[in-house]
Amino acid sequence: MRYKLSDCVTIISGGTPKKSQESYWNGNIPWITVKDFNGKYVSTTTDSITLEGLKHSSANLTEDQDILISARGTVGKVLMVGAGYTFNQSIYCLRADRSVLVPDYLFYWLEKNVSLVKQGTHGSVFETITKDTFDHLTIDLPDIEEQKKIAHKLSMFDRKINLNEQINDNLLETCKTNLHQLINEKEYEVTQIGNLDLIVSDHVANGSFKSLKDSVKYFDEPNFAIFLRNIDLKNRLDGNLKYIDKTSYNFLKKSHLFGGEVVISNVADVGSVHRVPRLKHPMVVGNNQIFIRSKNQSMNDYLFIFFNSKWGQHAIHSITSGSAQQKFNKTDFKKLNIPIPTDNWVDNHISPFLKMTDLNKAETRLLKRIKSSLLNKYF
């Protein structure tokens, strides 16, 4: 049966307590922004508010299995939450009428039909959806039992994907613990304090620049090469991927990636550190990022963990400057002196754990492809 989406959900707006009121922030109530949308389920939130902040703002609390959808800027990202979360005004909460609509089914319908949601956006500078947008969306609903069956099949994939990501988070924490012991306990495996420019045997380079855009064609659909303009903070290839054709890829030859490189944001999201996955597709890195490629894979593994640690972040921030926009340059970065362990230490304490994360990520990519085919089948 076909419904107007606004007839089978309650639409709830978000809000932000006054930033200037310290008593409103850093409480026990998680507060979600679009940057917390990673996968189906929320894991952690960057910010939290107090009960006082909740009472003195337009923020609202979620209930179990509410669906959040981003409504401004990056429109159409969806997230399922439990009870007790709050969210800002760039997000709508959709609360399903469970007499006709299963919340999980709604989540997957929105995930598959994000293009329909975006068709209802407004604004010349930022894409925005309003409550009226949901009046113009219609949804075909099978009976409740059929909705549950479909949602259950798709949820199995998301649960496994979520588990893989939790395991990978734990593996990375193990690597950081091992690094902490190495540096704090001054283990003998630290051979030297080395200059980064001398340590990296291949090169440290900038990604492609916006000034090249006239010579590069970007595509939203898969093409010859993946253009990694952003890898998210959990080092995943989720969302907003761009692609380029073979001519553009050849033009950007100085920014080619082959897997295993370390990519560090040097403008805006300064210090965000990523490890490039090994994929069958050609890849190229975008602007505002520096990438490190060493001929020694153990060194790549070590640098990824080091620059993700408090010592690495401190080193990056020591060369970061700018009032309007924080940034650092490649020259200063290459002069950084950092502790360097033996290859043997890295092979025992870092690389095995990263290999396990790679296997989990490969499985996750496969699971997402299968899930995508099921979304196409059911919706």
Side-chain angles (χ1 to χ4, degrees):
M1 187 171 179
R2 183 176 289 268
Y3 289 82
K4 192 190 313 185
L5 186 57
S6 57
D7 287 341
C8 51
V9 298
T10 300
I11 305 168
I12 302 164
S13 300
T16 302
K18 286 184 179 179
K19 293 282 189 177
S20 59
Q21 192 68 38
E22 291 185 7
S23 62
Y24 292 173
W25 293 92
N26 300 315
N28 297 320
I29 305 172
W31 183 74
I32 295 173
T33 66
V34 175
K35 61 187 175 184
D36 298 312
F37 283 55
N38 292 305
K40 180 178 180 180
Y41 307 104
V42 63
S43 52
T44 58
T45 62
T46 305
D47 298 298
S48 61
I49 64 174
T50 62
L51 183 58
E52 185 180 359
L54 176 65
K55 290 179 178 178
H56 291 87
S57 73
S58 58
N60 288 288
L61 285 172
T62 61
E63 295 182 1
D64 190 40
Q65 292 192 299
D66 278 349
I67 308 298
L68 303 185
I69 182 168
S70 56
R72 186 173 186 269
T74 305
V75 170
K77 296 187 74 173
V78 288
L79 185 70
M80 175 169 273
V81 296
Y85 288 87
T86 57
F87 49 97
N88 72 6
Q89 63 274 13
S90 294
I91 298 168
Y92 284 120
C93 172
L94 304 183
R95 186 166 297 156
D97 177 353
R98 300 195 188 193
S99 66
V100 294
L101 178 57
V102 173
D104 267 312
Y105 187 89
L106 171 62
F107 175 88
Y108 292 116
W109 185 90
L110 288 167
E111 191 174 48
K112 178 62 178 69
N113 291 285
V114 63
S115 60
L116 295 178
V117 176
K118 288 184 175 181
Q119 287 177 13
T121 57
H122 306 277
S124 56
V125 179
F126 292 105
E127 287 187 332
T128 305
I129 59 175
T130 67
K131 287 186 176 181
D132 291 340
T133 301
F134 302 102
D135 287 329
H136 301 288
L137 292 172
T138 58
I139 180 171
D140 285 314
L141 296 180
D143 63 63
I144 290 292
E145 289 306 311
E146 182 64 19
Q147 289 182 47
K148 288 179 179 178
K149 288 178 182 178
I150 293 171
H152 175 71
K153 290 178 182 178
L154 291 164
S155 292
M156 288 192 298
F157 289 93
D158 276 319
R159 282 194 291 270
K160 177 56 177 168
I161 290 168
N162 188 58
L163 177 61
N164 282 353
E165 290 169 353
Q166 289 177 357
I167 291 172
N168 280 359
D169 288 345
N170 292 334
L171 289 169
L172 291 180
E173 286 304 313
T174 298
C175 290
K176 290 180 184 179
T177 298
N178 291 342
L179 178 67
H180 184 273
Q181 293 174 346
L182 174 78
I183 295 176
N184 273 7
E185 297 177 11
K186 296 181 173 59
E187 294 184 6
Y188 69 90
E189 285 98 340
V190 175
T191 58
Q192 60 177 316
I193 301 295
N195 183 277
L196 191 61
D197 196 24
L198 299 176
I199 294 163
V200 177
S201 56
D202 195 336
H203 65 266
V204 178
N206 286 108
S208 57
F209 288 95
K210 289 181 179 178
S211 58
L212 303 177
K213 65 182 180 181
D214 293 336
S215 302
V216 178
K217 294 181 180 179
Y218 300 101
F219 302 87
D220 291 324
E221 298 298 325
N223 206 289
F224 179 78
I226 296 174
F227 181 76
L228 297 183
R229 63 176 184 176
N230 60 344
I231 309 177
D232 75 11
L233 292 177
K234 287 189 176 290
N235 204 37
R236 295 179 297 212
L237 290 172
D238 288 343
N240 299 321
L241 271 182
K242 289 289 185 182
Y243 300 86
I244 56 176
D245 57 20
K246 187 173 183 178
T247 301
S248 300
Y249 178 75
N250 291 335
F251 181 80
L252 298 173
K253 59 185 178 181
K254 292 184 178 180
S255 298
H256 289 183
L257 301 173
F258 306 101
E261 293 93 346
V262 178
V263 177
I264 302 177
S265 300
N266 68 321
V267 179
D269 186 20
V270 172
S272 179
V273 185
H274 316 291
R275 183 163 173 263
V276 178
R278 296 187 184 277
L279 301 177
K280 295 179 180 179
H281 305 286
M283 294 175 285
V284 62
V285 68
N287 58 289
N288 297 340
Q289 298 176 89
I290 286 175
F291 70 96
I292 309 166
R293 181 190 295 124
S294 173
K295 293 176 182 176
N296 182 341
Q297 185 56 50
S298 292
M299 181 55 60
N300 284 340
D301 291 346
Y302 173 72
L303 292 174
F304 171 66
I305 295 301
F306 177 78
F307 284 113
N308 261 302
S309 73
K310 63 180 181 181
W311 296 281
Q313 289 293 300
H314 177 75
I316 288 171
H317 289 302
S318 72
I319 58 171
T320 299
S321 61
S323 54
Q325 187 176 50
Q326 292 284 290
K327 59 184 177 180
F328 66 87
N329 62 58
K330 181 179 71 174
T331 301
D332 289 340
F333 182 72
K334 291 168 70 174
K335 292 178 181 178
L336 287 175
N337 289 314
I338 67 173
I340 301 300
T342 63
D343 287 347
N344 182 63
W345 185 88
V346 177
D347 290 341
N348 288 326
H349 295 84
I350 300 294
S351 294
F353 300 101
L354 293 186
K355 286 178 182 177
M356 285 189 277
T357 67
D358 287 342
L359 290 172
N360 285 336
K361 287 176 182 177
E363 182 185 47
T364 293
R365 288 192 291 272
L366 175 61
L367 291 169
K368 287 183 176 180
R369 287 197 296 272
I370 298 172
K371 176 188 162 187
S372 179
S373 67
L374 288 176
L375 284 172
N376 289 331
K377 174 183 177 181
Y378 293 124
F379 300 103

